[in-house]
Amino acid sequence: MFGVDTSELVLVAILALIFIGPKDLPNALRTLGRWVAQIRGMARHFQSGIDAMIREAELEEMEKKWREENERIMREYPALMEPPKAEENQPALPLEPDPQVPPDKRELP
C-alpha cells in the first residue's frame, strides 16, 4: 500500500530495537497496534457513512425516476384511474331463482 519493501521493514525493526530497546519494544508494538486498530475503525466508520450517503442518493434518484414514469403512465392512460363502469344495457342476473317456476323448467343464465 505504501510501497514498503522487506528490506525497509528489517531496517525499521533494527532501528526500533536499538532506540526503544528490547525491554520496551513489546509495549511499544502493542501501543502501535492499538493506534492502528483505532485508525482502521475510524476509517471503517467513515467509509460506512460515505456508503450510506451514496445509497440514499441512489434511492432518491430511483424514486424520482419512478415518480416521473408513474406520471407519464397516468397521463397516457387516464382511464386506469377511473373505476370500471357497469353496462347499463346488460340485464342484471337474478340472485335467487323464482319459486313459482319448477326446478326442471328453470333456464340457466
Side-chain angles (χ1 to χ4, degrees):
M1 183 166 98
F2 295 109
V4 179
D5 194 20
T6 307
S7 61
E8 293 170 348
L9 284 176
V10 170
L11 180 65
V12 170
I14 291 171
L15 289 175
L17 188 59
I18 291 171
F19 288 109
I20 296 175
K23 184 177 181 183
D24 294 328
L25 189 59
N27 289 336
L29 291 177
R30 195 173 302 120
T31 302
L32 179 67
R34 288 184 188 138
W35 286 353
V36 168
Q38 286 180 349
I39 290 171
R40 285 184 178 175
M42 284 188 261
R44 254 191 323 272
H45 181 70
F46 180 75
Q47 185 65 39
S48 67
I50 295 295
D51 290 343
M53 288 179 7
I54 290 171
R55 277 194 305 273
E56 288 175 10
E58 288 174 350
L59 282 175
E60 288 174 5
E61 183 179 328
M62 293 294 287
E63 286 176 357
K64 181 181 175 186
K65 286 180 181 179
W66 179 82
R67 240 181 274 114
E68 290 171 355
E69 185 67 17
N70 191 30
E71 290 171 1
R72 182 190 65 80
I73 291 171
M74 290 307 191
R75 280 192 309 269
E76 289 180 11
Y77 304 101
L80 294 176
M81 291 298 293
E82 299 171 6
K85 296 179 182 177
E87 299 272 341
E88 294 178 15
N89 299 337
Q90 188 178 24
L93 295 175
L95 297 177
E96 295 180 12
D98 189 8
Q100 296 177 357
V101 177
D104 58 341
K105 303 289 181 181
R106 292 184 188 157
E107 293 183 19
L108 295 175

Short mmCIF file of all heavy atoms in Angstrom, two decimals, residues 2-60:
data_model
loop_
_atom_site.label_atom_id
_atom_site.label_comp_id
_atom_site.label_asym_id
_atom_site.label_seq_id
_atom_site.Cartn_x
_atom_site.Cartn_y
_atom_site.Cartn_z
N PHE A 2 1.85 1.31 0.88
CA PHE A 2 2.73 2.47 0.94
C PHE A 2 4.02 2.24 0.18
O PHE A 2 4.89 3.09 0.16
CB PHE A 2 3.05 2.82 2.40
CG PHE A 2 1.85 3.27 3.18
CD1 PHE A 2 1.31 2.47 4.17
CD2 PHE A 2 1.26 4.49 2.93
CE1 PHE A 2 0.21 2.88 4.88
CE2 PHE A 2 0.16 4.91 3.64
CZ PHE A 2 -0.38 4.11 4.62
N GLY A 3 4.20 1.09 -0.41
CA GLY A 3 5.42 0.80 -1.15
C GLY A 3 6.58 0.47 -0.22
O GLY A 3 7.72 0.82 -0.51
N VAL A 4 6.30 -0.20 0.89
CA VAL A 4 7.34 -0.56 1.84
C VAL A 4 7.87 -1.94 1.46
O VAL A 4 7.11 -2.90 1.36
CB VAL A 4 6.79 -0.57 3.28
CG1 VAL A 4 7.88 -0.97 4.26
CG2 VAL A 4 6.24 0.80 3.64
N ASP A 5 9.18 -2.01 1.26
CA ASP A 5 9.82 -3.25 0.85
C ASP A 5 10.26 -4.03 2.10
O ASP A 5 10.30 -3.49 3.21
CB ASP A 5 11.03 -2.94 -0.04
CG ASP A 5 11.55 -4.15 -0.78
OD1 ASP A 5 10.79 -5.12 -0.91
OD2 ASP A 5 12.71 -4.11 -1.22
N THR A 6 10.60 -5.28 1.94
CA THR A 6 11.03 -6.13 3.06
C THR A 6 12.31 -5.60 3.70
O THR A 6 12.44 -5.58 4.93
CB THR A 6 11.25 -7.58 2.59
OG1 THR A 6 10.08 -8.02 1.91
CG2 THR A 6 11.53 -8.50 3.75
N SER A 7 13.22 -5.15 2.87
CA SER A 7 14.48 -4.62 3.42
C SER A 7 14.23 -3.36 4.25
O SER A 7 14.90 -3.15 5.28
CB SER A 7 15.48 -4.33 2.30
OG SER A 7 14.95 -3.35 1.42
N GLU A 8 13.28 -2.55 3.86
CA GLU A 8 12.94 -1.35 4.64
C GLU A 8 12.32 -1.74 5.98
O GLU A 8 12.57 -1.09 7.00
CB GLU A 8 12.01 -0.46 3.84
CG GLU A 8 12.68 0.14 2.61
CD GLU A 8 11.71 0.84 1.68
OE1 GLU A 8 10.47 0.66 1.86
OE2 GLU A 8 12.16 1.54 0.78
N LEU A 9 11.47 -2.77 5.99
CA LEU A 9 10.88 -3.23 7.24
C LEU A 9 11.95 -3.77 8.20
O LEU A 9 11.88 -3.53 9.41
CB LEU A 9 9.83 -4.32 6.98
CG LEU A 9 8.49 -3.85 6.44
CD1 LEU A 9 7.60 -5.04 6.12
CD2 LEU A 9 7.81 -2.94 7.43
N VAL A 10 12.92 -4.50 7.67
CA VAL A 10 14.01 -5.01 8.50
C VAL A 10 14.81 -3.86 9.09
O VAL A 10 15.17 -3.88 10.28
CB VAL A 10 14.92 -5.97 7.68
CG1 VAL A 10 16.18 -6.33 8.45
CG2 VAL A 10 14.15 -7.21 7.29
N LEU A 11 15.06 -2.82 8.30
CA LEU A 11 15.79 -1.65 8.78
C LEU A 11 15.03 -0.95 9.90
O LEU A 11 15.62 -0.59 10.94
CB LEU A 11 16.06 -0.69 7.63
CG LEU A 11 16.82 0.59 7.98
CD1 LEU A 11 18.24 0.26 8.45
CD2 LEU A 11 16.84 1.55 6.82
N VAL A 12 13.72 -0.78 9.74
CA VAL A 12 12.89 -0.15 10.77
C VAL A 12 12.89 -1.01 12.04
O VAL A 12 12.98 -0.48 13.16
CB VAL A 12 11.46 0.09 10.26
CG1 VAL A 12 10.52 0.50 11.38
CG2 VAL A 12 11.46 1.14 9.16
N ALA A 13 12.80 -2.32 11.89
CA ALA A 13 12.80 -3.21 13.06
C ALA A 13 14.14 -3.11 13.81
O ALA A 13 14.15 -3.07 15.05
CB ALA A 13 12.54 -4.65 12.62
N ILE A 14 15.26 -3.07 13.10
CA ILE A 14 16.57 -2.95 13.75
C ILE A 14 16.69 -1.61 14.46
O ILE A 14 17.15 -1.54 15.61
CB ILE A 14 17.70 -3.17 12.72
CG1 ILE A 14 17.71 -4.62 12.26
CG2 ILE A 14 19.06 -2.78 13.31
CD1 ILE A 14 18.65 -4.90 11.10
N LEU A 15 16.25 -0.53 13.81
CA LEU A 15 16.32 0.79 14.45
C LEU A 15 15.42 0.85 15.69
O LEU A 15 15.81 1.44 16.71
CB LEU A 15 15.93 1.88 13.45
CG LEU A 15 16.94 2.14 12.33
CD1 LEU A 15 16.38 3.15 11.33
CD2 LEU A 15 18.27 2.64 12.91
N ALA A 16 14.23 0.25 15.60
CA ALA A 16 13.34 0.23 16.76
C ALA A 16 13.97 -0.55 17.90
O ALA A 16 13.88 -0.15 19.07
CB ALA A 16 11.99 -0.38 16.38
N LEU A 17 14.62 -1.64 17.60
CA LEU A 17 15.28 -2.44 18.62
C LEU A 17 16.41 -1.66 19.28
O LEU A 17 16.59 -1.72 20.49
CB LEU A 17 15.80 -3.74 18.01
CG LEU A 17 16.36 -4.79 18.96
CD1 LEU A 17 15.30 -5.21 19.96
CD2 LEU A 17 16.86 -6.00 18.18
N ILE A 18 17.15 -0.89 18.48
CA ILE A 18 18.27 -0.11 19.02
C ILE A 18 17.76 1.06 19.85
O ILE A 18 18.22 1.28 20.98
CB ILE A 18 19.18 0.38 17.88
CG1 ILE A 18 19.90 -0.80 17.23
CG2 ILE A 18 20.19 1.42 18.39
CD1 ILE A 18 20.65 -0.44 15.97
N PHE A 19 16.82 1.86 19.33
CA PHE A 19 16.40 3.09 20.01
C PHE A 19 15.40 2.84 21.13
O PHE A 19 15.43 3.52 22.16
CB PHE A 19 15.83 4.10 19.01
CG PHE A 19 16.88 4.71 18.15
CD1 PHE A 19 16.97 4.40 16.80
CD2 PHE A 19 17.79 5.61 18.68
CE1 PHE A 19 17.94 4.97 16.01
CE2 PHE A 19 18.77 6.18 17.88
CZ PHE A 19 18.85 5.87 16.54
N ILE A 20 14.49 1.90 20.96
CA ILE A 20 13.49 1.63 22.01
C ILE A 20 14.04 0.63 23.02
O ILE A 20 13.79 0.76 24.21
CB ILE A 20 12.17 1.11 21.38
CG1 ILE A 20 11.57 2.20 20.49
CG2 ILE A 20 11.18 0.72 22.46
CD1 ILE A 20 10.35 1.77 19.73
N GLY A 21 14.77 -0.33 22.54
CA GLY A 21 15.35 -1.33 23.44
C GLY A 21 14.51 -2.59 23.47
O GLY A 21 13.29 -2.54 23.29
N PRO A 22 15.14 -3.71 23.75
CA PRO A 22 14.40 -4.99 23.75
C PRO A 22 13.39 -5.09 24.90
O PRO A 22 12.41 -5.82 24.80
CB PRO A 22 15.49 -6.03 23.89
CG PRO A 22 16.67 -5.33 24.43
CD PRO A 22 16.55 -3.89 24.02
N LYS A 23 13.61 -4.34 25.98
CA LYS A 23 12.70 -4.43 27.13
C LYS A 23 11.37 -3.72 26.85
O LYS A 23 10.31 -4.22 27.20
CB LYS A 23 13.40 -3.83 28.35
CG LYS A 23 12.60 -3.96 29.62
CD LYS A 23 13.37 -3.42 30.79
CE LYS A 23 12.58 -3.56 32.07
NZ LYS A 23 13.27 -2.99 33.20
N ASP A 24 11.43 -2.54 26.22
CA ASP A 24 10.22 -1.74 25.98
C ASP A 24 9.61 -1.96 24.60
O ASP A 24 8.53 -1.42 24.30
CB ASP A 24 10.54 -0.25 26.13
CG ASP A 24 10.93 0.11 27.56
OD1 ASP A 24 10.40 -0.54 28.48
OD2 ASP A 24 11.74 1.04 27.75
N LEU A 25 10.27 -2.73 23.76
CA LEU A 25 9.77 -2.95 22.40
C LEU A 25 8.39 -3.62 22.36
O LEU A 25 7.52 -3.17 21.61
CB LEU A 25 10.78 -3.76 21.58
CG LEU A 25 10.50 -3.86 20.08
CD1 LEU A 25 10.45 -2.49 19.44
CD2 LEU A 25 11.53 -4.73 19.40
N PRO A 26 8.10 -4.65 23.17
CA PRO A 26 6.75 -5.25 23.13
C PRO A 26 5.65 -4.25 23.50
O PRO A 26 4.58 -4.23 22.88
CB PRO A 26 6.81 -6.39 24.14
CG PRO A 26 8.25 -6.73 24.24
CD PRO A 26 8.99 -5.45 24.01
N ASN A 27 5.91 -3.40 24.51
CA ASN A 27 4.90 -2.39 24.88
C ASN A 27 4.70 -1.38 23.76
O ASN A 27 3.57 -0.95 23.49
CB ASN A 27 5.33 -1.67 26.17
CG ASN A 27 5.21 -2.57 27.38
OD1 ASN A 27 4.44 -3.53 27.38
ND2 ASN A 27 6.01 -2.28 28.40
N ALA A 28 5.79 -0.97 23.12
CA ALA A 28 5.69 -0.02 22.02
C ALA A 28 4.91 -0.62 20.85
O ALA A 28 4.07 0.06 20.24
CB ALA A 28 7.09 0.41 21.56
N LEU A 29 5.18 -1.88 20.53
CA LEU A 29 4.45 -2.53 19.44
C LEU A 29 2.97 -2.71 19.79
O LEU A 29 2.10 -2.58 18.93
CB LEU A 29 5.09 -3.88 19.11
CG LEU A 29 6.48 -3.81 18.45
CD1 LEU A 29 7.04 -5.21 18.25
CD2 LEU A 29 6.42 -3.06 17.15
N ARG A 30 2.69 -3.01 21.06
CA ARG A 30 1.29 -3.15 21.49
C ARG A 30 0.56 -1.81 21.35
O ARG A 30 -0.57 -1.74 20.86
CB ARG A 30 1.26 -3.64 22.94
CG ARG A 30 -0.09 -4.14 23.37
CD ARG A 30 -0.05 -4.78 24.76
NE ARG A 30 0.90 -5.88 24.83
CZ ARG A 30 1.96 -5.92 25.66
NH1 ARG A 30 2.20 -4.94 26.50
NH2 ARG A 30 2.78 -6.96 25.65
N THR A 31 1.22 -0.73 21.75
CA THR A 31 0.63 0.61 21.63
C THR A 31 0.42 0.96 20.15
O THR A 31 -0.63 1.49 19.78
CB THR A 31 1.54 1.66 22.30
OG1 THR A 31 1.73 1.29 23.66
CG2 THR A 31 0.93 3.04 22.23
N LEU A 32 1.42 0.66 19.34
CA LEU A 32 1.30 0.91 17.90
C LEU A 32 0.13 0.11 17.31
O LEU A 32 -0.65 0.63 16.49
CB LEU A 32 2.60 0.55 17.18
CG LEU A 32 2.61 0.74 15.67
CD1 LEU A 32 2.50 2.22 15.33
CD2 LEU A 32 3.86 0.13 15.08
N GLY A 33 -0.04 -1.13 17.74
CA GLY A 33 -1.15 -1.96 17.27
C GLY A 33 -2.50 -1.37 17.66
O GLY A 33 -3.45 -1.40 16.85
N ARG A 34 -2.61 -0.83 18.86
CA ARG A 34 -3.87 -0.18 19.29
C ARG A 34 -4.18 1.04 18.43
O ARG A 34 -5.33 1.25 18.05
CB ARG A 34 -3.78 0.20 20.76
CG ARG A 34 -3.85 -0.98 21.69
CD ARG A 34 -3.86 -0.54 23.14
NE ARG A 34 -3.75 -1.70 24.01
CZ ARG A 34 -2.99 -1.75 25.09
NH1 ARG A 34 -2.28 -0.71 25.45
NH2 ARG A 34 -2.94 -2.85 25.82
N TRP A 35 -3.15 1.83 18.16
CA TRP A 35 -3.35 3.02 17.32
C TRP A 35 -3.81 2.62 15.92
O TRP A 35 -4.74 3.22 15.37
CB TRP A 35 -2.08 3.84 17.22
CG TRP A 35 -1.73 4.61 18.45
CD1 TRP A 35 -2.47 4.77 19.58
CD2 TRP A 35 -0.53 5.34 18.66
NE1 TRP A 35 -1.80 5.53 20.49
CE2 TRP A 35 -0.59 5.91 19.94
CE3 TRP A 35 0.63 5.56 17.91
CZ2 TRP A 35 0.42 6.69 20.47
CZ3 TRP A 35 1.63 6.35 18.44
CH2 TRP A 35 1.52 6.90 19.70
N VAL A 36 -3.16 1.62 15.36
CA VAL A 36 -3.54 1.16 14.02
C VAL A 36 -4.98 0.64 14.04
O VAL A 36 -5.75 0.92 13.12
CB VAL A 36 -2.55 0.08 13.52
CG1 VAL A 36 -3.08 -0.61 12.27
CG2 VAL A 36 -1.18 0.68 13.26
N ALA A 37 -5.36 -0.09 15.08
CA ALA A 37 -6.73 -0.60 15.19
C ALA A 37 -7.73 0.55 15.28
O ALA A 37 -8.80 0.51 14.65
CB ALA A 37 -6.87 -1.52 16.39
N GLN A 38 -7.41 1.60 16.05
CA GLN A 38 -8.31 2.75 16.16
C GLN A 38 -8.42 3.48 14.83
O GLN A 38 -9.52 3.89 14.43
CB GLN A 38 -7.82 3.70 17.24
CG GLN A 38 -8.04 3.21 18.65
CD GLN A 38 -7.53 4.19 19.70
OE1 GLN A 38 -6.83 5.14 19.38
NE2 GLN A 38 -7.87 3.94 20.95
N ILE A 39 -7.31 3.63 14.13
CA ILE A 39 -7.34 4.31 12.83
C ILE A 39 -8.17 3.50 11.84
O ILE A 39 -8.97 4.06 11.10
CB ILE A 39 -5.89 4.54 12.32
CG1 ILE A 39 -5.21 5.59 13.19
CG2 ILE A 39 -5.89 4.96 10.86
CD1 ILE A 39 -3.72 5.75 12.92
N ARG A 40 -8.00 2.19 11.84
CA ARG A 40 -8.79 1.35 10.94
C ARG A 40 -10.28 1.42 11.28
O ARG A 40 -11.13 1.43 10.40
CB ARG A 40 -8.32 -0.10 11.01
CG ARG A 40 -7.02 -0.34 10.28
CD ARG A 40 -6.66 -1.80 10.30
NE ARG A 40 -5.43 -2.04 9.56
CZ ARG A 40 -4.83 -3.20 9.49
NH1 ARG A 40 -5.33 -4.25 10.14
NH2 ARG A 40 -3.73 -3.34 8.79
N GLY A 41 -10.61 1.44 12.58
CA GLY A 41 -12.01 1.56 12.99
C GLY A 41 -12.63 2.87 12.53
O GLY A 41 -13.76 2.90 12.04
N MET A 42 -11.85 3.96 12.67
CA MET A 42 -12.36 5.25 12.21
C MET A 42 -12.53 5.25 10.69
O MET A 42 -13.52 5.80 10.17
CB MET A 42 -11.42 6.37 12.62
CG MET A 42 -11.52 6.74 14.09
SD MET A 42 -10.57 8.21 14.46
CE MET A 42 -9.10 7.47 15.14
N ALA A 43 -11.60 4.63 9.98
CA ALA A 43 -11.71 4.57 8.52
C ALA A 43 -12.93 3.75 8.10
O ALA A 43 -13.65 4.12 7.16
CB ALA A 43 -10.43 3.97 7.93
N ARG A 44 -13.18 2.64 8.81
CA ARG A 44 -14.37 1.82 8.52
C ARG A 44 -15.65 2.61 8.76
O ARG A 44 -16.59 2.56 7.97
CB ARG A 44 -14.37 0.57 9.39
CG ARG A 44 -14.03 -0.70 8.69
CD ARG A 44 -14.31 -1.95 9.52
NE ARG A 44 -14.06 -1.85 10.94
CZ ARG A 44 -12.89 -2.10 11.52
NH1 ARG A 44 -11.86 -2.47 10.81
NH2 ARG A 44 -12.75 -2.00 12.83
N HIS A 45 -15.68 3.34 9.88
CA HIS A 45 -16.86 4.15 10.21
C HIS A 45 -17.08 5.23 9.14
O HIS A 45 -18.21 5.45 8.70
CB HIS A 45 -16.68 4.78 11.59
CG HIS A 45 -17.83 5.59 12.04
ND1 HIS A 45 -19.04 5.04 12.39
CD2 HIS A 45 -17.97 6.94 12.21
CE1 HIS A 45 -19.88 6.00 12.74
NE2 HIS A 45 -19.24 7.16 12.63
N PHE A 46 -16.02 5.89 8.73
CA PHE A 46 -16.10 6.92 7.70
C PHE A 46 -16.59 6.31 6.39
O PHE A 46 -17.47 6.87 5.73
CB PHE A 46 -14.73 7.58 7.52
CG PHE A 46 -14.70 8.64 6.48
CD1 PHE A 46 -15.24 9.89 6.72
CD2 PHE A 46 -14.12 8.40 5.24
CE1 PHE A 46 -15.22 10.87 5.75
CE2 PHE A 46 -14.09 9.37 4.26
CZ PHE A 46 -14.64 10.61 4.52
N GLN A 47 -16.03 5.17 6.01
CA GLN A 47 -16.41 4.52 4.76
C GLN A 47 -17.87 4.08 4.78
O GLN A 47 -18.58 4.22 3.79
CB GLN A 47 -15.51 3.30 4.49
CG GLN A 47 -15.76 2.63 3.17
CD GLN A 47 -15.41 3.51 1.99
OE1 GLN A 47 -14.43 4.24 2.04
NE2 GLN A 47 -16.22 3.46 0.95
N SER A 48 -18.34 3.58 5.92
CA SER A 48 -19.75 3.16 6.01
C SER A 48 -20.67 4.38 5.90
O SER A 48 -21.75 4.29 5.31
CB SER A 48 -20.01 2.38 7.29
OG SER A 48 -19.87 3.21 8.41
N GLY A 49 -20.26 5.52 6.45
CA GLY A 49 -21.05 6.74 6.32
C GLY A 49 -21.13 7.19 4.87
O GLY A 49 -22.20 7.59 4.38
N ILE A 50 -20.00 7.13 4.17
CA ILE A 50 -19.99 7.50 2.75
C ILE A 50 -20.87 6.55 1.95
O ILE A 50 -21.65 6.98 1.09
CB ILE A 50 -18.54 7.49 2.21
CG1 ILE A 50 -17.68 8.56 2.88
CG2 ILE A 50 -18.51 7.65 0.70
CD1 ILE A 50 -18.11 9.97 2.61
N ASP A 51 -20.77 5.25 2.23
CA ASP A 51 -21.60 4.26 1.53
C ASP A 51 -23.09 4.52 1.77
O ASP A 51 -23.90 4.39 0.85
CB ASP A 51 -21.23 2.85 1.96
CG ASP A 51 -19.87 2.41 1.46
OD1 ASP A 51 -19.34 3.05 0.52
OD2 ASP A 51 -19.32 1.42 2.01
N ALA A 52 -23.45 4.87 3.00
CA ALA A 52 -24.86 5.15 3.31
C ALA A 52 -25.34 6.37 2.54
O ALA A 52 -26.47 6.38 2.02
CB ALA A 52 -25.03 5.36 4.81
N MET A 53 -24.51 7.40 2.44
CA MET A 53 -24.90 8.60 1.69
C MET A 53 -25.08 8.27 0.20
O MET A 53 -26.01 8.75 -0.43
CB MET A 53 -23.85 9.70 1.86
CG MET A 53 -23.87 10.32 3.23
SD MET A 53 -22.67 11.62 3.60
CE MET A 53 -21.84 11.98 2.13
N ILE A 54 -24.22 7.42 -0.33
CA ILE A 54 -24.34 7.03 -1.74
C ILE A 54 -25.62 6.25 -1.96
O ILE A 54 -26.35 6.48 -2.94
CB ILE A 54 -23.10 6.22 -2.18
CG1 ILE A 54 -21.87 7.13 -2.24
CG2 ILE A 54 -23.33 5.54 -3.51
CD1 ILE A 54 -20.57 6.40 -2.46
N ARG A 55 -25.93 5.31 -1.05
CA ARG A 55 -27.17 4.53 -1.17
C ARG A 55 -28.40 5.43 -1.12
O ARG A 55 -29.35 5.26 -1.88
CB ARG A 55 -27.24 3.47 -0.08
CG ARG A 55 -26.48 2.21 -0.38
CD ARG A 55 -26.86 1.08 0.57
NE ARG A 55 -26.70 1.41 1.97
CZ ARG A 55 -25.57 1.28 2.66
NH1 ARG A 55 -24.49 0.82 2.08
NH2 ARG A 55 -25.51 1.60 3.93
N GLU A 56 -28.39 6.41 -0.21
CA GLU A 56 -29.53 7.33 -0.11
C GLU A 56 -29.69 8.14 -1.38
O GLU A 56 -30.81 8.34 -1.86
CB GLU A 56 -29.36 8.25 1.09
CG GLU A 56 -29.55 7.57 2.43
CD GLU A 56 -29.26 8.49 3.60
OE1 GLU A 56 -29.08 9.71 3.38
OE2 GLU A 56 -29.20 8.00 4.73
N ALA A 57 -28.57 8.60 -1.95
CA ALA A 57 -28.64 9.37 -3.19
C ALA A 57 -29.18 8.51 -4.33
O ALA A 57 -30.00 8.97 -5.13
CB ALA A 57 -27.27 9.93 -3.54
N GLU A 58 -28.74 7.26 -4.40
CA GLU A 58 -29.24 6.36 -5.43
C GLU A 58 -30.73 6.08 -5.25
O GLU A 58 -31.48 6.03 -6.23
CB GLU A 58 -28.46 5.05 -5.42
CG GLU A 58 -27.05 5.19 -5.95
CD GLU A 58 -26.23 3.91 -5.80
OE1 GLU A 58 -26.70 2.97 -5.13
OE2 GLU A 58 -25.14 3.87 -6.37
N LEU A 59 -31.16 5.91 -4.00
CA LEU A 59 -32.59 5.67 -3.74
C LEU A 59 -33.42 6.88 -4.15
O LEU A 59 -34.51 6.74 -4.72
CB LEU A 59 -32.82 5.35 -2.27
CG LEU A 59 -32.47 3.93 -1.85
CD1 LEU A 59 -32.62 3.78 -0.33
CD2 LEU A 59 -33.34 2.92 -2.55
N GLU A 60 -32.94 8.08 -3.84
CA GLU A 60 -33.67 9.29 -4.22
C GLU A 60 -33.78 9.39 -5.73
O GLU A 60 -34.83 9.75 -6.27
CB GLU A 60 -32.98 10.53 -3.65
CG GLU A 60 -33.13 10.68 -2.16
CD GLU A 60 -32.32 11.85 -1.60
OE1 GLU A 60 -31.70 12.59 -2.40
OE2 GLU A 60 -32.30 12.01 -0.37
#
